[in-house]
Amino acid sequence: MLKAASIKRCALPRGPASAGTLYSKRFGSSFGTAIETAEKMVQPGVSNPFDPFSMVSAEMGVLAKHIAQLIGSGHPVLNRVASYYFEAEGKNVRPLIVLLLSKALAKIPDEERTRIIIDQYDVNDQPEFKGTPKAFSFAGANPLQSITPLKILHGINPNIILNPLSRPMIDQDAYVTLDKKNGILPKQRRLAEITEMIHTASLLHDDVIDFADSRRGRDSGNIAFSNKMAILAGDFLLGRASVSLGRLRNSEVVELMSTAIANLVEGEFMQLKNTVLQPDTKSIDNDGQSKKIPEPTGKVPVKVHEYSVNPLNTISHQDNVNAAFEYYLHKTYLKTASLMSKSSRSTAILAGCNENIIENCYQFGRNLGLCFQIVDDMLDYTTTAELLGKPAGADLKLGLATAPVLYAWKEKPELGPLIARKFSQPGDVEIAKTTVDVTKGVEKTRELAEQYRNDALKNLRHLPDSDARSALELLTNSVLTRSK
């Protein structure tokens, strides 16, 4: 787990020399060149031969269509709500990462794939790995095929209902042929779709929890349909994603992605109840009213979270800040970076890569995910609702202490009581914003995001040189420079 006290920010000096040039001197030419090349890619007016979206345009172009067919239901209103967020223009970063990683990993020589036999790129053709019993190698090599008989899945004759689980999205031969041509395995493409389904389900739930009124430039799901329908649609998406996940027929990937779903919930609870800054674990805030939590009966052991051991007023200010940063970064991992890191690791597992590549894919997703959310938290202070496609300045109004205000608190201890009461009193939000400006909290947050960006680029250097890896480098840099 990351501790704020141990964070060493790599602040890049400004001036004539580029960051890439400076890093060439500091870390070696290979890594410095990667940063310098990627920096040039994101400069306005510079031709970009490694555009991430163009490289997988065929797959991204049909992403929403394929997902819509996966999540279709026999109920027309459920169809409408479940597909609502896929209609709008989203960033689609998560499936993009999976697809680009898939293409980059395709360049690894067969002899370096320790989890795969040459020319047998499917888990059903592989020998058992690390004691995995043959019971997990189900019949059928294609992720479009069901494991359980359809009449059992549906509980009704599948021929008389319109249900996506009863028919393939496209011709299976065409599906396999297309992906083989593009260097993407069918199961990796399906993983990209599953990842976006899980993410979108979390958005539907988050918007209800956060009382959001807009998402992707239009009414949020809870406003357009109602809280109940938005929650149910999110649950339905997770159910459909779980079915598709099982059809990948890889128990390790199922374990990873299922854990990512649980992490999303854990992260949301950490955000709802900050046990560092609000150490009372016996009550919760319920629409502005304090509500006592029922006492445990003792039948089920309930552990006290490690973050809540020391009350706010019994340790030093520096220890408080360090604990708050540790809590913030862990919450950020769970809410955002977990899905990116575990889907990246799953991509490498499905490609049969060796342990070093699998670990670097995981760390790449983790570092990129942390960078992505930290930038998101920074943009909440610096951009407009029109650019974001969702309410700007919402974090403070929701009582959230993200990196900019935590950096401000580090220099201004008097901000602590405002953070502890979640900026709930009149004038608290305005005071916090002013303090962030005075202490340069946004600038320090950018430096923190740069650190994770640089670490993600280092992870990519373990992959073979390819156009897809260059596109991932560009994507990594663009996360830091985005405005929405």
Side-chain angles (χ1 to χ4, degrees):
M1 194 173 295
L2 296 171
K3 295 182 184 280
S6 65
I7 294 174
K8 297 180 180 179
R9 294 180 219 87
C10 300
L12 305 184
R14 309 297 182 212
S18 72
T21 302
L22 294 165
Y23 268 82
S24 293
K25 296 176 180 177
R26 185 172 177 181
F27 294 113
S29 59
S30 179
F31 178 60
T33 301
I35 293 184
E36 193 168 14
T37 301
E39 281 180 338
K40 291 177 181 177
M41 292 180 193
V42 295
Q43 292 176 1
V46 177
S47 177
N48 175 17
F50 306 117
D51 176 65
F53 289 93
S54 296
M55 195 162 292
V56 288
S57 59
E59 292 80 10
M60 294 297 290
V62 296
L63 179 76
K65 177 183 176 182
H66 284 186
I67 289 176
Q69 291 176 313
L70 275 179
I71 64 178
S73 161
H75 197 291
V77 179
L78 178 54
N79 277 340
R80 183 76 188 90
V81 186
S83 62
Y84 182 65
Y85 279 169
F86 297 107
E87 297 173 348
E89 283 294 324
K91 291 185 277 287
N92 292 327
V93 172
R94 292 153 188 84
L96 184 62
I97 291 170
V98 171
L99 293 170
L100 288 173
L101 260 182
S102 299
K103 288 182 71 71
L105 296 172
K107 300 295 183 181
I108 295 177
D110 293 333
E111 59 270 17
E112 295 180 17
R113 297 173 186 266
T114 58
R115 293 195 181 197
I116 209 159
I117 297 175
I118 296 176
D119 296 329
Q120 293 184 350
Y121 287 78
D122 189 270
V123 68
N124 296 289
D125 300 324
Q126 305 309 310
E128 305 311 320
F129 181 75
K130 287 187 175 179
T132 302
K134 287 190 177 294
F136 286 104
S137 293
F138 300 100
N142 197 292
L144 298 175
Q145 296 173 339
S146 68
I147 299 170
T148 304
L150 294 175
K151 64 180 181 180
I152 302 297
L153 287 180
H154 303 322
I156 192 171
N157 183 351
N159 297 321
I160 64 172
I161 60 172
L162 293 176
N163 194 306
L165 299 181
S166 64
R167 64 191 193 282
M169 294 184 306
I170 59 175
D171 179 75
Q172 293 190 20
D173 291 335
Y175 189 87
V176 174
T177 302
L178 175 64
D179 289 330
K180 189 172 292 186
K181 176 182 177 183
N182 293 341
I184 298 173
L185 303 175
K187 291 184 180 181
Q188 290 172 325
R189 181 208 275 255
R190 179 49 52 84
L191 176 65
E193 296 159 2
I194 292 168
T195 302
E196 185 64 8
M197 289 166 68
I198 293 171
H199 169 62
T200 304
S202 75
L203 297 184
L204 282 163
H205 289 164
D206 284 354
D207 286 346
V208 173
I209 294 167
D210 297 339
F211 307 104
D213 56 14
S214 62
R215 171 72 66 178
R216 295 177 177 173
R218 59 178 183 169
D219 286 347
S220 56
N222 48 303
I223 296 297
F225 299 100
S226 77
N227 284 346
K228 288 183 179 180
M229 285 191 176
I231 290 291
L232 290 170
D235 292 344
F236 183 73
L237 279 177
L238 291 177
R240 283 289 197 250
S242 297
V243 172
S244 297
L245 187 58
R247 288 182 178 179
L248 295 182
R249 297 166 167 85
N250 187 301
S251 53
E252 188 174 4
V253 171
V254 171
E255 181 181 59
L256 280 167
M257 299 301 291
S258 298
T259 303
I261 295 174
N263 289 161
L264 288 170
V265 179
E266 292 176 291
E268 193 62 44
F269 259 83
M270 288 186 74
Q271 182 162 290
L272 286 171
K273 185 62 180 175
N274 189 329
T275 55
V276 172
L277 303 173
Q278 297 92 35
D280 179 12
T281 59
K282 296 185 178 181
S283 66
I284 57 173
D285 179 76
N286 184 30
D287 292 337
Q289 301 295 320
S290 180
K291 179 180 175 63
K292 187 176 180 180
I293 298 175
E295 290 288 337
T297 63
K299 186 175 182 179
V300 179
V302 179
K303 292 181 64 177
V304 177
H305 198 289
E306 61 180 287
Y307 289 111
S308 63
V309 171
N310 292 314
L312 187 64
N313 60 356
T314 62
I315 55 178
S316 70
H317 170 64
Q318 186 60 51
D319 287 340
N320 265 327
V321 173
N322 291 345
F325 260 106
E326 182 176 358
Y327 190 96
Y328 165 73
L329 289 172
H330 186 45
K331 178 206 73 175
T332 299
Y333 170 78
L334 292 171
K335 277 181 63 68
T336 303
S338 174
L339 185 56
M340 289 188 181
S341 62
K342 289 180 170 67
S343 60
S344 296
R345 185 178 180 90
S346 296
T347 303
I349 289 170
L350 292 174
C353 298
N354 62 43
E355 293 298 330
N356 178 58
I357 294 294
I358 289 173
E359 178 62 18
N360 273 284
C361 285
Y362 169 77
Q363 293 296 339
F364 164 72
R366 175 185 174 279
N367 289 319
L368 183 62
L370 288 169
C371 176
F372 187 92
Q373 185 58 52
I374 290 168
V375 169
D376 223 41
D377 295 341
M378 179 181 70
L379 290 175
D380 194 64
Y381 284 80
T382 61
T383 192
T384 63
E386 289 74 21
L387 278 174
L388 280 178
K390 58 183 178 181
D395 287 348
L396 287 175
K397 295 174 185 176
L398 290 169
L400 303 181
T402 57
V405 79
L406 290 179
Y407 278 118
W409 179 37
K410 184 176 182 179
E411 291 191 27
K412 302 289 185 180
E414 60 269 24
L415 206 55
L418 281 70
I419 296 173
R421 62 177 180 252
K422 303 177 76 171
F423 314 105
S424 58
Q425 295 186 9
D428 282 359
V429 169
E430 290 71 23
I431 292 171
K433 286 181 177 178
T434 301
T435 309
V436 167
D437 288 340
V438 169
T439 58
K440 299 188 182 301
V442 169
E443 289 84 347
K444 293 170 183 174
T445 300
R446 176 176 289 277
E447 291 175 0
L448 180 62
E450 284 176 348
Q451 173 197 335
Y452 287 110
R453 184 276 310 267
N454 296 337
D455 288 343
L457 287 173
K458 289 178 183 177
N459 295 132
L460 288 176
R461 302 306 290 180
H462 290 264
L463 305 184
D465 187 18
S466 67
D467 289 351
R469 193 188 78 177
S470 297
L472 284 167
E473 291 170 350
L474 170 58
L475 176 64
T476 301
N477 276 274
S478 67
V479 165
L480 193 63
T481 58
R482 66 192 176 94
S483 60
K484 60 180 180 179

